[in-house]
Amino acid sequence: MLFAALCTDNHGALQIRLDTRPTHVAYLDDLNARGILKVAGPFLGDDGKPNGSLVIIEAETKEAATAIFAEDPYAKAGLFASVEVKAWNWVFNKPE
């Protein structure tokens, strides 16, 4: 099953994002290598700077997905003001 994490950064937390990015990318690379990560990238504000994230993974349950998202270095560093985890159905342009 697929799950999306819609993450909103804390106001003024851009430096946390920049400082934590290398370990965040390494974490996502590991999820990708294990076939868990499907899609990921930042939301951008009107100023073009990142202000949140969208991460879509495959997991057995919402609880398992939530646990995976909680281990992301961004989450551990306190970057996010909120994280909403939702089941997601990939309908269009799904890679085979």
Side-chain angles (χ1 to χ4, degrees):
M1 210 172 166
L2 296 176
F3 294 91
L6 294 96
C7 310
T8 303
D9 290 4
N10 280 302
H11 181 71
L14 181 59
Q15 195 59 52
I16 293 171
R17 177 178 281 276
L18 296 173
D19 292 346
T20 312
R21 188 171 192 282
T23 54
H24 165 73
V25 170
Y27 183 73
L28 294 184
D29 282 342
D30 178 63
L31 293 179
N32 190 48
R34 295 188 294 150
I36 296 169
L37 179 67
K38 302 305 175 191
V39 176
F43 292 115
L44 303 176
D46 292 339
D47 59 3
K49 293 180 182 172
N51 63 7
S53 298
L54 170 65
V55 181
I56 300 174
I57 64 167
E58 188 169 355
E60 292 291 321
T61 64
K62 183 176 181 178
E63 293 76 19
T66 300
I68 291 168
F69 292 131
E71 289 300 312
D72 186 309
Y74 278 171
K76 287 181 154 188
L79 174 64
F80 302 130
S82 66
V83 176
E84 184 177 8
V85 178
K86 294 181 161 193
W88 186 69
N89 184 24
W90 197 335
V91 177
F92 293 99
N93 297 323
K94 184 176 180 180
E96 296 303 322

